[in-house]
Amino acid sequence: MNKKSRQGNPWENMNEKIDDVLGEKFWKDVLPVIPKRVPLVDIYETPSYGYMILELPGLHSTKDVEITVQNNQLFIKGTIPYPYQLPKENLLQSERFFGTFKRAIAIPFSFVPQKLTAQYKQGVLLLAFQKADHDIDVEIDFQD
């Protein structure tokens, strides 16, 4: 067993370590200048399905998001509207994301494109990919 597998993921407790070293005030000061990445994603698979769970809080409608799949990558783009009547500059603290976003995510399993389903509920987009039940063998002929 190698050293890495015994210790687990070294990044797993990074936020807590940063809090211990820099203090909670660090995040309050630095968050406004760090570009916000949306959407955040979790990916997992079962024997029959692969799943992507994406955070999209504040999305008004599924019409505000576009999802495409090309070359085993998922492309997602859209807009999360600004929800307040006052200008952004008047917010005393602003940590939530508003505006346009786009992201490409590698799909780490084989799937049947026609069987991809999407569900949006309570700020979370669930994508379910029915996995292909077999790999496709491809013969390659050499040209002279």
Side-chain angles (χ1 to χ4, degrees):
M1 182 182 294
N2 66 27
K3 186 176 179 181
K4 191 175 191 177
S5 65
R6 277 183 283 149
Q7 293 178 339
N9 183 350
W11 300 100
E12 194 169 347
N13 299 322
M14 187 60 67
N15 285 344
E16 293 169 12
K17 292 174 184 175
I18 290 173
D19 286 347
D20 290 344
V21 173
L22 301 174
E24 289 181 22
K25 186 178 180 312
F26 169 78
W27 290 115
K28 195 172 213 174
D29 292 341
V30 81
L31 277 175
V33 296
I34 295 176
K36 297 171 178 90
R37 290 183 48 202
V38 170
L40 302 177
V41 65
D42 288 337
I43 302 173
Y44 69 93
E45 63 182 309
T46 65
S48 301
Y49 283 87
Y51 296 94
M52 287 189 183
I53 297 89
L54 299 103
E55 288 185 354
L56 289 169
L59 192 67
H60 282 184
S61 166
T62 54
K63 293 179 176 138
D64 296 331
V65 65
E66 180 183 322
I67 302 167
T68 57
V69 175
Q70 295 175 345
N71 300 326
N72 240 41
Q73 282 203 330
L74 179 110
F75 296 91
I76 184 165
K77 65 181 179 177
T79 303
I80 296 179
Y82 181 73
Y84 308 118
Q85 297 297 321
L86 68 147
K88 290 180 188 179
E89 299 79 33
N90 291 2
L91 290 175
L92 299 176
Q93 185 166 337
S94 178
E95 296 179 5
R96 297 179 56 214
F97 176 81
F98 311 108
T100 60
F101 63 87
K102 68 179 180 177
R103 183 167 180 192
I105 304 165
I107 303 169
F109 38 75
S110 297
F111 63 96
V112 180
Q114 299 81 1
K115 302 283 184 160
L116 173 59
T117 61
Q119 178 183 6
Y120 181 73
K121 187 175 182 180
Q122 297 179 331
V124 175
L125 175 65
L126 170 65
L127 299 172
F129 299 78
Q130 183 175 330
K131 292 171 79 175
D133 55 0
H134 65 282
D135 290 331
I136 298 170
D137 293 328
V138 176
E139 284 189 36
I140 300 173
D141 293 327
F142 286 93
Q143 296 179 355
D144 293 327

